[in-house]
Amino acid sequence: MTTVLDDEPHDAALNMAIDETLLRTATQPTLRIYRWARPALSFGYFGKWSEAAEIAAGRDIVRRWTGGGIVPHGEDFTFSLIVPRSEPFSRASPGESYRAIHECVAQAIGNSSLAIATAPGVSASCFANPVQHDVLIANRKVAGGAQRRAKYGLLHQGSIQTSDDATHLSAALIRVFSSRSTAVPLAAGTRSTAATVAREKYATGGWTRRVM
């Protein structure tokens, strides 16, 4: 596994574009751990911009390529897992892959468990609505994720909303995902390509405010 330690905080559109670029180009399982330049709010591919805008409170808003609800960013621990199509895990069912990934997340956090069932939806906010296999501490959702399956493979975008030290959590997450991981910085070519994707897609009103 390759671990991309993306230490430079990016704006919301660029963060989404980097994940998409990695999905299109990765040749082996890749874990990316990253930060946000400004407080942001992401919402799922099929979500409504109007619902995100109602609670944004000045945060940057971006539509994800993955599904799911509304997620606040800036103080959370954010990661993505990219699994190329050549890997059998990329073809696991959504439920199976979600469970397996969150078992690793729960192990990294410690003192947590997985939700055994999906709770009734109460809002568009992702963390107000635990679904099966989300990570819980004392029955409160602390980690969730959203996925995208494409011809390139599987993209899982995850958010962990705890007060755990980010450096410790990074090391723990890398350790549980793979016993053999090579840490690399974000490649300049990946960032350059992603900047174009961000400008032409994720930063546009046509993408963010589109009606699904």
Side-chain angles (χ1 to χ4, degrees), residues 1-2 19-20 22-32 79-92 97-98 100-101 147-157 177:
M1 172 178 283
T2 297
D19 279 352
E20 179 176 338
L22 286 172
L23 176 62
R24 293 176 181 273
T25 59
T27 58
Q28 61 179 308
T30 300
L31 173 67
R32 175 180 172 238
F79 73 94
S80 57
L81 183 66
I82 295 94
V83 184
R85 186 68 181 172
S86 58
E87 297 287 332
F89 186 77
S90 73
R91 298 184 291 279
S97 59
Y98 200 78
I101 291 169
Q147 297 187 349
R148 174 85 182 198
R149 281 167 170 76
K151 64 180 181 180
Y152 317 99
L154 167 66
L155 168 63
H156 178 101
Q157 294 177 313
F177 271 128

Side-chain angles (χ1 to χ4, degrees), residues 4-165:
V4 177
L5 298 177
D6 194 1
D7 293 330
E8 179 188 354
H10 304 297
D11 64 38
L14 184 54
N15 268 330
M16 298 298 98
I18 291 171
D19 279 352
E20 179 176 338
T21 301
L22 286 172
L23 176 62
R24 293 176 181 273
T25 59
T27 58
Q28 61 179 308
T30 300
L31 173 67
R32 175 180 172 238
I33 296 170
Y34 56 99
R35 298 187 294 157
W36 304 78
R38 295 180 295 278
L41 202 72
S42 71
F43 65 104
Y45 181 79
F46 295 104
K48 295 180 179 179
W49 178 85
S50 59
E51 292 180 344
E54 282 181 8
I55 62 174
R59 292 173 178 262
D60 292 345
I61 304 175
V62 67
R63 184 187 296 274
R64 296 189 304 272
W65 203 28
T66 55
I70 299 171
V71 182
H73 301 290
E75 297 181 354
D76 62 332
F77 179 93
T78 317
F79 73 94
S80 57
L81 183 66
I82 295 94
V83 184
R85 186 68 181 172
S86 58
E87 297 287 332
F89 186 77
S90 73
R91 298 184 291 279
S93 70
E96 181 182 353
S97 59
Y98 200 78
R99 175 191 56 76
I101 291 169
H102 277 184
E103 283 178 345
C104 291
V105 173
Q107 185 178 344
I109 295 173
N111 232 3
S112 57
S113 60
L114 299 190
I116 60 175
T118 297
V122 295
S123 77
S125 173
C126 174
F127 281 80
N129 306 300
V131 301
Q132 188 177 28
H133 306 317
D134 276 342
V135 182
L136 310 175
I137 294 179
N139 292 320
R140 180 176 67 88
K141 179 175 177 177
V142 297
Q147 297 187 349
R148 174 85 182 198
R149 281 167 170 76
K151 64 180 181 180
Y152 317 99
L154 167 66
L155 168 63
H156 178 101
Q157 294 177 313
S159 173
I160 304 174
Q161 310 230 350
T162 74
S163 58
D164 290 359
D165 176 73

